[in-house]
Amino acid sequence: MFDKAVLIGIKLYKNSGMSSLDGPYQDVMNMESYIKEQNSFVRITKMLDIDKSYTQPTRDNILDYLSKLYQDVKPGEKILIYYSGHGSNVRTSSKDEYDQNFDQAMNVMNNQIVTDNEINDFITKNIPEKAEIFLIFDCCHSGDIVDLKYKLKGERFCPIRKSLPDLDNNIVLISGCAFTQSTTDAPKGGAFTNRFLDVIKNDKKVSYVDMYKTLQKNLNYLKVYFGMSQEPQIFSSHVHKETDSIF
């Protein structure tokens, strides 16, 4: 499925005013286990704050990794960027067609952030021919944390940033909730990550539409039992057909 992956999990938020989380470490382990089952040769980098033997998920380390993302990538390979941790909205003076003068951001170690603009800058430049990038973000306010052109609405990809060009490469973001919402955390992993893995384990060739509908359905229990809306989102660099498989 994937040829290269970076899995980022941040559990402890010391001196940040933000609560520690239960699920990120387990999320990363669950994701790693699944992708290794699909490709034992996948090149994986893990960034975990609770284990010093791994690269620490600081702002500098994350940006350094993204700056070198394509160094060893061959044409046609598939790359996964996965994140589980806190996320936030950051007010910005720049005008955006979609998210109402807010940037979405990863809250990383040492009380720092990595914004959607920064992620977009790194992943949309110098992409090898036919390489595909998949980003999965399980964090509050994740929304369109990559600033892509199209959003899946129902059964169609609709432009939300008409000023952006279509890209030749396939870049896909599956986020755990809308940018106005929060995600659910638990010791066994985030509700979104667990439901996402359930879907792809059941159908490796799941379509964009079926993934979207199934995630929405499977997370509806949060609203029914806890009054909390968590609606996963799918965004892309270009339009896909209703029946196109994601991976």
Side-chain angles (χ1 to χ4, degrees):
M1 178 178 287
F2 300 112
D3 302 289
K4 179 178 181 179
V6 57
L7 310 176
I8 305 169
I10 304 179
K11 176 182 175 69
L12 305 176
Y13 283 85
K14 297 178 181 178
N15 305 316
S16 68
M18 306 182 81
S19 61
S20 294
L21 298 171
D22 294 319
Y25 180 84
Q26 192 61 50
D27 283 334
V28 166
M29 295 303 148
N30 291 344
M31 190 65 68
E32 179 187 36
S33 177
Y34 176 75
I35 62 179
K36 279 186 173 180
E37 288 175 5
Q38 308 308 307
N39 178 10
S40 59
F41 299 102
V42 61
R43 309 185 298 278
I44 296 178
T45 297
K46 286 189 287 189
M47 297 188 186
L48 293 165
D49 66 322
I50 63 171
D51 190 334
K52 300 287 186 179
S53 67
Y54 296 109
T55 302
Q56 294 296 280
T58 63
R59 171 181 164 81
D60 287 346
N61 285 342
I62 291 170
L63 294 181
D64 181 64
Y65 181 90
L66 291 177
S67 73
K68 301 172 182 175
L69 184 64
Y70 302 125
Q71 280 187 354
D72 62 343
V73 174
K74 300 174 184 177
E77 287 195 322
K78 295 182 178 181
I79 304 169
L80 170 67
I81 299 173
Y82 173 82
Y83 173 69
S84 177
H86 275 304
S88 59
N89 286 320
V90 182
R91 187 169 290 280
T92 177
S93 58
S94 63
K95 292 185 178 180
D96 188 282
E97 298 173 62
Y98 175 66
D99 42 17
Q100 303 170 14
N101 290 22
F102 282 97
D103 284 338
Q104 283 70 61
M106 303 163 60
N107 292 91
V108 299
M109 290 181 67
N110 304 323
N111 203 23
Q112 293 187 307
I113 63 172
V114 176
T115 69
D116 50 7
N117 296 331
E118 292 172 314
I119 299 169
N120 180 280
D121 284 344
F122 282 115
I123 68 169
T124 59
K125 294 177 181 176
N126 304 314
I127 309 177
E129 183 181 1
K130 295 183 180 179
E132 297 184 77
I133 318 299
F134 299 89
L135 302 101
I136 302 171
F137 276 68
D138 193 345
C139 63
C140 296
H141 310 294
S142 44
D144 182 20
I145 198 168
V146 188
D147 285 352
L148 297 175
K149 181 172 182 176
Y150 295 97
K151 178 182 180 181
L152 181 59
K153 297 182 177 181
E155 299 183 350
R156 296 177 58 242
F157 278 93
C158 302
I160 57 173
R161 293 183 175 89
K162 296 180 180 180
S163 61
L164 293 180
D166 284 15
L167 300 178
D168 293 332
N169 295 76
N170 185 34
I171 302 176
V172 175
L173 166 68
I174 305 177
S175 59
C177 65
F179 75 93
T180 56
Q181 296 176 338
S182 298
T183 53
T184 306
D185 174 57
K188 292 184 178 181
F192 163 69
T193 296
N194 286 331
R195 297 306 183 276
F196 169 82
L197 288 171
D198 287 344
V199 175
I200 57 174
K201 286 177 181 178
N202 184 60
D203 184 2
K204 296 177 184 177
K205 295 295 183 181
V206 63
S207 70
Y208 289 91
V209 171
D210 286 345
M211 171 66 80
Y212 176 75
K213 288 183 176 179
T214 305
L215 286 174
Q216 296 279 342
K217 177 181 177 182
N218 289 354
L219 286 171
N220 189 56
Y221 77 93
L222 294 170
K223 186 173 184 178
V224 173
Y225 293 105
F226 304 107
M228 174 185 173
S229 293
Q230 181 180 337
E231 301 165 332
Q233 314 281 298
I234 299 179
F235 301 85
S236 178
S237 57
H238 57 260
V239 173
H240 297 275
K241 296 179 182 177
E242 177 183 343
T243 55
D244 284 351
S245 61
I246 299 178
F247 304 113

PDB file of all heavy atoms in Angstrom, residues 18-48:
ATOM      1  N   MET A  18      -2.193  22.623  27.597  1.00  0.00           N
ATOM      2  CA  MET A  18      -3.039  21.647  26.923  1.00  0.00           C
ATOM      3  C   MET A  18      -2.950  20.321  27.668  1.00  0.00           C
ATOM      4  O   MET A  18      -1.904  19.967  28.218  1.00  0.00           O
ATOM      5  CB  MET A  18      -2.595  21.463  25.468  1.00  0.00           C
ATOM      6  CG  MET A  18      -2.518  22.756  24.682  1.00  0.00           C
ATOM      7  SD  MET A  18      -2.039  22.516  22.957  1.00  0.00           S
ATOM      8  CE  MET A  18      -3.626  22.040  22.284  1.00  0.00           C
ATOM      9  N   SER A  19      -4.044  19.593  27.686  1.00  0.00           N
ATOM     10  CA  SER A  19      -4.084  18.323  28.397  1.00  0.00           C
ATOM     11  C   SER A  19      -3.284  17.261  27.653  1.00  0.00           C
ATOM     12  O   SER A  19      -3.167  17.285  26.424  1.00  0.00           O
ATOM     13  CB  SER A  19      -5.531  17.855  28.552  1.00  0.00           C
ATOM     14  OG  SER A  19      -6.117  17.663  27.271  1.00  0.00           O
ATOM     15  N   SER A  20      -2.719  16.325  28.420  1.00  0.00           N
ATOM     16  CA  SER A  20      -2.080  15.171  27.796  1.00  0.00           C
ATOM     17  C   SER A  20      -3.156  14.279  27.184  1.00  0.00           C
ATOM     18  O   SER A  20      -4.321  14.302  27.589  1.00  0.00           O
ATOM     19  CB  SER A  20      -1.263  14.388  28.823  1.00  0.00           C
ATOM     20  OG  SER A  20      -0.166  15.157  29.273  1.00  0.00           O
ATOM     21  N   LEU A  21      -2.752  13.480  26.194  1.00  0.00           N
ATOM     22  CA  LEU A  21      -3.685  12.622  25.476  1.00  0.00           C
ATOM     23  C   LEU A  21      -3.416  11.160  25.781  1.00  0.00           C
ATOM     24  O   LEU A  21      -2.298  10.781  26.144  1.00  0.00           O
ATOM     25  CB  LEU A  21      -3.568  12.878  23.968  1.00  0.00           C
ATOM     26  CG  LEU A  21      -3.915  14.303  23.512  1.00  0.00           C
ATOM     27  CD1 LEU A  21      -3.558  14.499  22.046  1.00  0.00           C
ATOM     28  CD2 LEU A  21      -5.400  14.586  23.737  1.00  0.00           C
ATOM     29  N   ASP A  22      -4.431  10.321  25.620  1.00  0.00           N
ATOM     30  CA  ASP A  22      -4.295   8.894  25.899  1.00  0.00           C
ATOM     31  C   ASP A  22      -3.905   8.078  24.673  1.00  0.00           C
ATOM     32  O   ASP A  22      -3.203   7.073  24.783  1.00  0.00           O
ATOM     33  CB  ASP A  22      -5.619   8.336  26.452  1.00  0.00           C
ATOM     34  CG  ASP A  22      -5.965   8.905  27.815  1.00  0.00           C
ATOM     35  OD1 ASP A  22      -5.049   9.034  28.643  1.00  0.00           O
ATOM     36  OD2 ASP A  22      -7.148   9.222  28.036  1.00  0.00           O
ATOM     37  N   GLY A  23      -4.374   8.485  23.493  1.00  0.00           N
ATOM     38  CA  GLY A  23      -4.341   7.592  22.346  1.00  0.00           C
ATOM     39  C   GLY A  23      -3.194   7.663  21.353  1.00  0.00           C
ATOM     40  O   GLY A  23      -2.981   6.697  20.617  1.00  0.00           O
ATOM     41  N   PRO A  24      -2.452   8.778  21.232  1.00  0.00           N
ATOM     42  CA  PRO A  24      -1.496   8.898  20.116  1.00  0.00           C
ATOM     43  C   PRO A  24      -0.473   7.782  19.985  1.00  0.00           C
ATOM     44  O   PRO A  24      -0.183   7.333  18.870  1.00  0.00           O
ATOM     45  CB  PRO A  24      -0.825  10.243  20.394  1.00  0.00           C
ATOM     46  CG  PRO A  24      -1.901  11.053  21.049  1.00  0.00           C
ATOM     47  CD  PRO A  24      -2.606  10.066  21.929  1.00  0.00           C
ATOM     48  N   TYR A  25       0.103   7.320  21.095  1.00  0.00           N
ATOM     49  CA  TYR A  25       1.099   6.250  21.000  1.00  0.00           C
ATOM     50  C   TYR A  25       0.461   4.996  20.407  1.00  0.00           C
ATOM     51  O   TYR A  25       1.012   4.367  19.486  1.00  0.00           O
ATOM     52  CB  TYR A  25       1.683   5.941  22.371  1.00  0.00           C
ATOM     53  CG  TYR A  25       2.718   4.834  22.351  1.00  0.00           C
ATOM     54  CD1 TYR A  25       4.053   5.102  22.025  1.00  0.00           C
ATOM     55  CD2 TYR A  25       2.365   3.517  22.650  1.00  0.00           C
ATOM     56  CE1 TYR A  25       4.993   4.085  21.993  1.00  0.00           C
ATOM     57  CE2 TYR A  25       3.305   2.505  22.625  1.00  0.00           C
ATOM     58  CZ  TYR A  25       4.618   2.788  22.298  1.00  0.00           C
ATOM     59  OH  TYR A  25       5.549   1.777  22.261  1.00  0.00           O
ATOM     60  N   GLN A  26      -0.725   4.645  20.896  1.00  0.00           N
ATOM     61  CA  GLN A  26      -1.406   3.458  20.386  1.00  0.00           C
ATOM     62  C   GLN A  26      -1.826   3.654  18.934  1.00  0.00           C
ATOM     63  O   GLN A  26      -1.771   2.716  18.122  1.00  0.00           O
ATOM     64  CB  GLN A  26      -2.621   3.128  21.252  1.00  0.00           C
ATOM     65  CG  GLN A  26      -3.220   1.752  20.961  1.00  0.00           C
ATOM     66  CD  GLN A  26      -2.230   0.634  21.229  1.00  0.00           C
ATOM     67  OE1 GLN A  26      -1.614   0.582  22.287  1.00  0.00           O
ATOM     68  NE2 GLN A  26      -2.062  -0.262  20.253  1.00  0.00           N
ATOM     69  N   ASP A  27      -2.246   4.866  18.573  1.00  0.00           N
ATOM     70  CA  ASP A  27      -2.597   5.161  17.182  1.00  0.00           C
ATOM     71  C   ASP A  27      -1.429   4.866  16.249  1.00  0.00           C
ATOM     72  O   ASP A  27      -1.588   4.244  15.191  1.00  0.00           O
ATOM     73  CB  ASP A  27      -2.992   6.630  17.033  1.00  0.00           C
ATOM     74  CG  ASP A  27      -4.392   6.929  17.539  1.00  0.00           C
ATOM     75  OD1 ASP A  27      -5.238   6.016  17.540  1.00  0.00           O
ATOM     76  OD2 ASP A  27      -4.646   8.084  17.916  1.00  0.00           O
ATOM     77  N   VAL A  28      -0.248   5.343  16.625  1.00  0.00           N
ATOM     78  CA  VAL A  28       0.935   5.139  15.795  1.00  0.00           C
ATOM     79  C   VAL A  28       1.256   3.652  15.682  1.00  0.00           C
ATOM     80  O   VAL A  28       1.562   3.143  14.595  1.00  0.00           O
ATOM     81  CB  VAL A  28       2.139   5.923  16.366  1.00  0.00           C
ATOM     82  CG1 VAL A  28       3.452   5.452  15.730  1.00  0.00           C
ATOM     83  CG2 VAL A  28       1.948   7.419  16.119  1.00  0.00           C
ATOM     84  N   MET A  29       1.180   2.924  16.787  1.00  0.00           N
ATOM     85  CA  MET A  29       1.472   1.496  16.757  1.00  0.00           C
ATOM     86  C   MET A  29       0.452   0.736  15.906  1.00  0.00           C
ATOM     87  O   MET A  29       0.802  -0.174  15.154  1.00  0.00           O
ATOM     88  CB  MET A  29       1.494   0.925  18.179  1.00  0.00           C
ATOM     89  CG  MET A  29       2.612   1.485  19.044  1.00  0.00           C
ATOM     90  SD  MET A  29       4.235   1.200  18.286  1.00  0.00           S
ATOM     91  CE  MET A  29       5.125   2.647  18.844  1.00  0.00           C
ATOM     92  N   ASN A  30      -0.818   1.121  16.022  1.00  0.00           N
ATOM     93  CA  ASN A  30      -1.858   0.468  15.224  1.00  0.00           C
ATOM     94  C   ASN A  30      -1.651   0.735  13.734  1.00  0.00           C
ATOM     95  O   ASN A  30      -1.807  -0.171  12.898  1.00  0.00           O
ATOM     96  CB  ASN A  30      -3.242   0.963  15.643  1.00  0.00           C
ATOM     97  CG  ASN A  30      -3.636   0.489  17.026  1.00  0.00           C
ATOM     98  OD1 ASN A  30      -3.043  -0.438  17.582  1.00  0.00           O
ATOM     99  ND2 ASN A  30      -4.644   1.131  17.613  1.00  0.00           N
ATOM    100  N   MET A  31      -1.307   1.976  13.400  1.00  0.00           N
ATOM    101  CA  MET A  31      -1.090   2.326  12.004  1.00  0.00           C
ATOM    102  C   MET A  31       0.142   1.601  11.458  1.00  0.00           C
ATOM    103  O   MET A  31       0.128   1.080  10.337  1.00  0.00           O
ATOM    104  CB  MET A  31      -0.928   3.840  11.864  1.00  0.00           C
ATOM    105  CG  MET A  31      -0.924   4.341  10.431  1.00  0.00           C
ATOM    106  SD  MET A  31      -2.484   4.088   9.549  1.00  0.00           S
ATOM    107  CE  MET A  31      -3.546   5.236  10.447  1.00  0.00           C
ATOM    108  N   GLU A  32       1.207   1.578  12.249  1.00  0.00           N
ATOM    109  CA  GLU A  32       2.422   0.893  11.812  1.00  0.00           C
ATOM    110  C   GLU A  32       2.150  -0.592  11.568  1.00  0.00           C
ATOM    111  O   GLU A  32       2.610  -1.166  10.563  1.00  0.00           O
ATOM    112  CB  GLU A  32       3.517   1.048  12.861  1.00  0.00           C
ATOM    113  CG  GLU A  32       4.808   0.330  12.472  1.00  0.00           C
ATOM    114  CD  GLU A  32       5.851   0.340  13.579  1.00  0.00           C
ATOM    115  OE1 GLU A  32       5.454   0.244  14.761  1.00  0.00           O
ATOM    116  OE2 GLU A  32       7.045   0.442  13.255  1.00  0.00           O
ATOM    117  N   SER A  33       1.452  -1.228  12.475  1.00  0.00           N
ATOM    118  CA  SER A  33       1.162  -2.649  12.341  1.00  0.00           C
ATOM    119  C   SER A  33       0.413  -2.936  11.046  1.00  0.00           C
ATOM    120  O   SER A  33       0.747  -3.889  10.317  1.00  0.00           O
ATOM    121  CB  SER A  33       0.331  -3.129  13.540  1.00  0.00           C
ATOM    122  OG  SER A  33      -0.030  -4.488  13.394  1.00  0.00           O
ATOM    123  N   TYR A  34      -0.559  -2.091  10.738  1.00  0.00           N
ATOM    124  CA  TYR A  34      -1.347  -2.334   9.526  1.00  0.00           C
ATOM    125  C   TYR A  34      -0.515  -2.150   8.262  1.00  0.00           C
ATOM    126  O   TYR A  34      -0.546  -2.998   7.363  1.00  0.00           O
ATOM    127  CB  TYR A  34      -2.570  -1.409   9.471  1.00  0.00           C
ATOM    128  CG  TYR A  34      -3.318  -1.597   8.170  1.00  0.00           C
ATOM    129  CD1 TYR A  34      -4.106  -2.727   7.968  1.00  0.00           C
ATOM    130  CD2 TYR A  34      -3.189  -0.674   7.134  1.00  0.00           C
ATOM    131  CE1 TYR A  34      -4.760  -2.935   6.767  1.00  0.00           C
ATOM    132  CE2 TYR A  34      -3.844  -0.883   5.928  1.00  0.00           C
ATOM    133  CZ  TYR A  34      -4.622  -2.016   5.749  1.00  0.00           C
ATOM    134  OH  TYR A  34      -5.253  -2.229   4.550  1.00  0.00           O
ATOM    135  N   ILE A  35       0.237  -1.059   8.170  1.00  0.00           N
ATOM    136  CA  ILE A  35       0.946  -0.807   6.910  1.00  0.00           C
ATOM    137  C   ILE A  35       2.078  -1.810   6.704  1.00  0.00           C
ATOM    138  O   ILE A  35       2.419  -2.144   5.564  1.00  0.00           O
ATOM    139  CB  ILE A  35       1.440   0.651   6.793  1.00  0.00           C
ATOM    140  CG1 ILE A  35       2.434   1.009   7.893  1.00  0.00           C
ATOM    141  CG2 ILE A  35       0.265   1.610   6.800  1.00  0.00           C
ATOM    142  CD1 ILE A  35       2.943   2.440   7.788  1.00  0.00           C
ATOM    143  N   LYS A  36       2.650  -2.337   7.788  1.00  0.00           N
ATOM    144  CA  LYS A  36       3.675  -3.377   7.645  1.00  0.00           C
ATOM    145  C   LYS A  36       3.061  -4.686   7.158  1.00  0.00           C
ATOM    146  O   LYS A  36       3.729  -5.466   6.459  1.00  0.00           O
ATOM    147  CB  LYS A  36       4.400  -3.600   8.967  1.00  0.00           C
ATOM    148  CG  LYS A  36       5.489  -2.578   9.254  1.00  0.00           C
ATOM    149  CD  LYS A  36       6.261  -2.937  10.514  1.00  0.00           C
ATOM    150  CE  LYS A  36       7.452  -2.040  10.709  1.00  0.00           C
ATOM    151  NZ  LYS A  36       8.210  -2.383  11.943  1.00  0.00           N
ATOM    152  N   GLU A  37       1.825  -4.936   7.528  1.00  0.00           N
ATOM    153  CA  GLU A  37       1.137  -6.120   7.024  1.00  0.00           C
ATOM    154  C   GLU A  37       0.961  -6.051   5.508  1.00  0.00           C
ATOM    155  O   GLU A  37       0.988  -7.068   4.816  1.00  0.00           O
ATOM    156  CB  GLU A  37      -0.239  -6.265   7.685  1.00  0.00           C
ATOM    157  CG  GLU A  37      -0.201  -6.676   9.138  1.00  0.00           C
ATOM    158  CD  GLU A  37      -1.588  -6.686   9.753  1.00  0.00           C
ATOM    159  OE1 GLU A  37      -2.571  -6.457   9.010  1.00  0.00           O
ATOM    160  OE2 GLU A  37      -1.685  -6.901  10.979  1.00  0.00           O
ATOM    161  N   GLN A  38       0.787  -4.834   5.007  1.00  0.00           N
ATOM    162  CA  GLN A  38       0.558  -4.652   3.575  1.00  0.00           C
ATOM    163  C   GLN A  38       1.858  -4.610   2.772  1.00  0.00           C
ATOM    164  O   GLN A  38       1.881  -4.991   1.609  1.00  0.00           O
ATOM    165  CB  GLN A  38      -0.228  -3.356   3.336  1.00  0.00           C
ATOM    166  CG  GLN A  38      -1.500  -3.222   4.145  1.00  0.00           C
ATOM    167  CD  GLN A  38      -2.394  -4.439   3.996  1.00  0.00           C
ATOM    168  OE1 GLN A  38      -2.717  -4.853   2.877  1.00  0.00           O
ATOM    169  NE2 GLN A  38      -2.806  -5.019   5.122  1.00  0.00           N
ATOM    170  N   ASN A  39       2.932  -4.125   3.388  1.00  0.00           N
ATOM    171  CA  ASN A  39       4.220  -4.016   2.703  1.00  0.00           C
ATOM    172  C   ASN A  39       5.336  -4.085   3.737  1.00  0.00           C
ATOM    173  O   ASN A  39       5.610  -3.109   4.428  1.00  0.00           O
ATOM    174  CB  ASN A  39       4.314  -2.711   1.902  1.00  0.00           C
ATOM    175  CG  ASN A  39       5.655  -2.542   1.221  1.00  0.00           C
ATOM    176  OD1 ASN A  39       6.473  -3.469   1.183  1.00  0.00           O
ATOM    177  ND2 ASN A  39       5.894  -1.360   0.674  1.00  0.00           N
ATOM    178  N   SER A  40       5.969  -5.232   3.837  1.00  0.00           N
ATOM    179  CA  SER A  40       7.003  -5.423   4.856  1.00  0.00           C
ATOM    180  C   SER A  40       8.261  -4.610   4.559  1.00  0.00           C
ATOM    181  O   SER A  40       9.130  -4.475   5.421  1.00  0.00           O
ATOM    182  CB  SER A  40       7.370  -6.910   4.968  1.00  0.00           C
ATOM    183  OG  SER A  40       7.851  -7.402   3.720  1.00  0.00           O
ATOM    184  N   PHE A  41       8.359  -4.064   3.346  1.00  0.00           N
ATOM    185  CA  PHE A  41       9.540  -3.280   2.954  1.00  0.00           C
ATOM    186  C   PHE A  41       9.315  -1.768   3.080  1.00  0.00           C
ATOM    187  O   PHE A  41      10.158  -0.980   2.660  1.00  0.00           O
ATOM    188  CB  PHE A  41       9.948  -3.625   1.521  1.00  0.00           C
ATOM    189  CG  PHE A  41      10.331  -5.063   1.328  1.00  0.00           C
ATOM    190  CD1 PHE A  41       9.450  -5.957   0.738  1.00  0.00           C
ATOM    191  CD2 PHE A  41      11.560  -5.534   1.770  1.00  0.00           C
ATOM    192  CE1 PHE A  41       9.801  -7.289   0.569  1.00  0.00           C
ATOM    193  CE2 PHE A  41      11.920  -6.864   1.607  1.00  0.00           C
ATOM    194  CZ  PHE A  41      11.034  -7.752   1.002  1.00  0.00           C
ATOM    195  N   VAL A  42       8.174  -1.373   3.610  1.00  0.00           N
ATOM    196  CA  VAL A  42       7.880   0.052   3.736  1.00  0.00           C
ATOM    197  C   VAL A  42       8.932   0.740   4.616  1.00  0.00           C
ATOM    198  O   VAL A  42       9.390   0.196   5.609  1.00  0.00           O
ATOM    199  CB  VAL A  42       6.459   0.272   4.316  1.00  0.00           C
ATOM    200  CG1 VAL A  42       6.334  -0.340   5.704  1.00  0.00           C
ATOM    201  CG2 VAL A  42       6.093   1.752   4.347  1.00  0.00           C
ATOM    202  N   ARG A  43       9.327   1.944   4.198  1.00  0.00           N
ATOM    203  CA  ARG A  43      10.323   2.720   4.942  1.00  0.00           C
ATOM    204  C   ARG A  43       9.582   3.618   5.928  1.00  0.00           C
ATOM    205  O   ARG A  43       8.938   4.589   5.526  1.00  0.00           O
ATOM    206  CB  ARG A  43      11.169   3.549   3.966  1.00  0.00           C
ATOM    207  CG  ARG A  43      11.738   2.703   2.832  1.00  0.00           C
ATOM    208  CD  ARG A  43      12.678   3.461   1.933  1.00  0.00           C
ATOM    209  NE  ARG A  43      12.099   4.580   1.241  1.00  0.00           N
ATOM    210  CZ  ARG A  43      11.382   4.486   0.110  1.00  0.00           C
ATOM    211  NH1 ARG A  43      11.108   3.302  -0.410  1.00  0.00           N
ATOM    212  NH2 ARG A  43      10.924   5.568  -0.482  1.00  0.00           N
ATOM    213  N   ILE A  44       9.690   3.310   7.211  1.00  0.00           N
ATOM    214  CA  ILE A  44       8.896   4.012   8.236  1.00  0.00           C
ATOM    215  C   ILE A  44       9.796   4.846   9.133  1.00  0.00           C
ATOM    216  O   ILE A  44      10.820   4.374   9.621  1.00  0.00           O
ATOM    217  CB  ILE A  44       8.091   3.021   9.094  1.00  0.00           C
ATOM    218  CG1 ILE A  44       7.059   2.279   8.245  1.00  0.00           C
ATOM    219  CG2 ILE A  44       7.393   3.749  10.244  1.00  0.00           C
ATOM    220  CD1 ILE A  44       6.251   1.246   9.012  1.00  0.00           C
ATOM    221  N   THR A  45       9.376   6.088   9.357  1.00  0.00           N
ATOM    222  CA  THR A  45       9.976   6.945  10.381  1.00  0.00           C
ATOM    223  C   THR A  45       8.905   7.206  11.433  1.00  0.00           C
ATOM    224  O   THR A  45       7.787   7.603  11.096  1.00  0.00           O
ATOM    225  CB  THR A  45      10.444   8.291   9.790  1.00  0.00           C
ATOM    226  OG1 THR A  45      11.469   8.051   8.831  1.00  0.00           O
ATOM    227  CG2 THR A  45      10.979   9.208  10.887  1.00  0.00           C
ATOM    228  N   LYS A  46       9.232   6.953  12.695  1.00  0.00           N
ATOM    229  CA  LYS A  46       8.294   7.239  13.779  1.00  0.00           C
ATOM    230  C   LYS A  46       8.819   8.395  14.611  1.00  0.00           C
ATOM    231  O   LYS A  46      10.004   8.449  14.939  1.00  0.00           O
ATOM    232  CB  LYS A  46       8.086   6.004  14.662  1.00  0.00           C
ATOM    233  CG  LYS A  46       7.242   4.933  14.024  1.00  0.00           C
ATOM    234  CD  LYS A  46       6.874   3.832  14.999  1.00  0.00           C
ATOM    235  CE  LYS A  46       8.064   2.958  15.316  1.00  0.00           C
ATOM    236  NZ  LYS A  46       7.681   1.763  16.096  1.00  0.00           N
ATOM    237  N   MET A  47       7.921   9.313  14.932  1.00  0.00           N
ATOM    238  CA  MET A  47       8.232  10.417  15.831  1.00  0.00           C
ATOM    239  C   MET A  47       7.284  10.329  17.017  1.00  0.00           C
ATOM    240  O   MET A  47       6.071  10.507  16.871  1.00  0.00           O
ATOM    241  CB  MET A  47       8.063  11.767  15.127  1.00  0.00           C
ATOM    242  CG  MET A  47       8.990  11.991  13.954  1.00  0.00           C
ATOM    243  SD  MET A  47       8.887  13.701  13.343  1.00  0.00           S
ATOM    244  CE  MET A  47       9.935  13.601  11.890  1.00  0.00           C
ATOM    245  N   LEU A  48       7.837  10.029  18.196  1.00  0.00           N
ATOM    246  CA  LEU A  48       7.032   9.839  19.400  1.00  0.00           C
ATOM    247  C   LEU A  48       7.669  10.587  20.562  1.00  0.00           C
ATOM    248  O   LEU A  48       8.850  10.395  20.861  1.00  0.00           O
ATOM    249  CB  LEU A  48       6.929   8.349  19.743  1.00  0.00           C
ATOM    250  CG  LEU A  48       6.139   7.478  18.767  1.00  0.00           C
ATOM    251  CD1 LEU A  48       6.416   6.008  19.023  1.00  0.00           C
ATOM    252  CD2 LEU A  48       4.652   7.763  18.893  1.00  0.00           C
TER     253      LEU A  48
END
